[in-house]
Amino acid sequence: MRPSVLLSALALLAAVPAAVADARAETGIVRTQGSNADSPIAAAVTVPAGAETVYLSGALPAVIDPNAPKGSVQAYGDTQAQTLSVLSKLKATLEGLGYGLGDVVQAHVFLAGDPNKGGDIDFAGLQAAWTQYFGTAAQPNKPARSTVKVAALVLPGALVEIELTAAKVAGGKH
């Protein structure tokens, strides 16, 4: 290994906060923060061999306005409302399996363009909802996450679909 690469790697390791080391000692799962400490997602999450892992299929939002036209964005709400709905569903599924949101290590978010925003995705709406569930004082664990704009989702009117992967080590906390 070249000395400059080795020094860069050592500098990166030195920059890993003590909280990460504490989390590793507590759960065995390591969450590496990216350069933006305020980001509600981790740059990387390392899951040790032997951890129990569960993969949740994509979840779509629930109807919030039954009087709105069926299959319309209004029936499900804007991106923020839909994200809150989807995360609430996923949280309930995780809890039913003996996991919590703190066990989430990876998320894939699919956003459809909002016709009320000229077909653009509402990334700010996603973030506003996401930060109510991840990286909070009550639930500080942040998963690695990808967000992709898609042409449409299988449910007419849906703007958000999220799938999660959660992992825990025997005896670890949520």
Side-chain angles (χ1 to χ4, degrees):
M1 180 177 280
R2 293 187 349 230
S4 62
V5 174
L6 180 58
L7 288 175
S8 295
L10 290 173
L12 179 62
L13 287 174
V16 175
V20 171
D22 292 342
R24 181 188 312 216
E26 197 173 288
T27 67
I29 295 174
V30 179
R31 295 164 194 274
T32 304
Q33 184 62 48
S35 60
N36 178 1
D38 293 331
S39 175
I41 60 174
V45 179
T46 304
V47 178
E52 180 181 283
T53 307
V54 64
Y55 301 88
L56 274 62
S57 293
L60 294 157
V63 171
I64 61 170
D65 182 358
N67 297 318
K70 184 177 179 175
S72 68
V73 171
Q74 294 74 21
Y76 299 100
D78 63 11
T79 298
Q80 183 173 351
Q82 290 193 27
T83 303
L84 290 169
S85 172
V86 171
L87 289 173
S88 177
K89 282 181 166 183
L90 290 167
K91 180 180 181 216
T93 300
L94 285 168
E95 289 172 351
L97 296 169
Y99 288 77
L101 288 172
D103 297 316
V104 175
V105 295
Q106 174 74 54
H108 296 121
V109 178
F110 305 94
L111 294 179
D114 186 340
N116 297 319
K117 294 193 172 289
D120 289 337
I121 61 169
D122 182 6
F123 190 76
L126 166 70
Q127 290 293 88
W130 190 266
T131 56
Q132 292 181 42
Y133 283 86
F134 297 99
T136 67
Q139 199 298 97
N141 291 343
K142 301 172 186 180
R145 185 186 84 193
S146 299
T147 304
V148 179
K149 179 180 179 180
V150 297
L153 295 168
V154 69
L155 179 65
L159 301 173
V160 180
E161 182 171 353
I162 302 172
E163 59 185 37
L164 299 177
T165 302
K168 63 181 176 177
V169 176
K173 292 182 178 181
H174 296 295

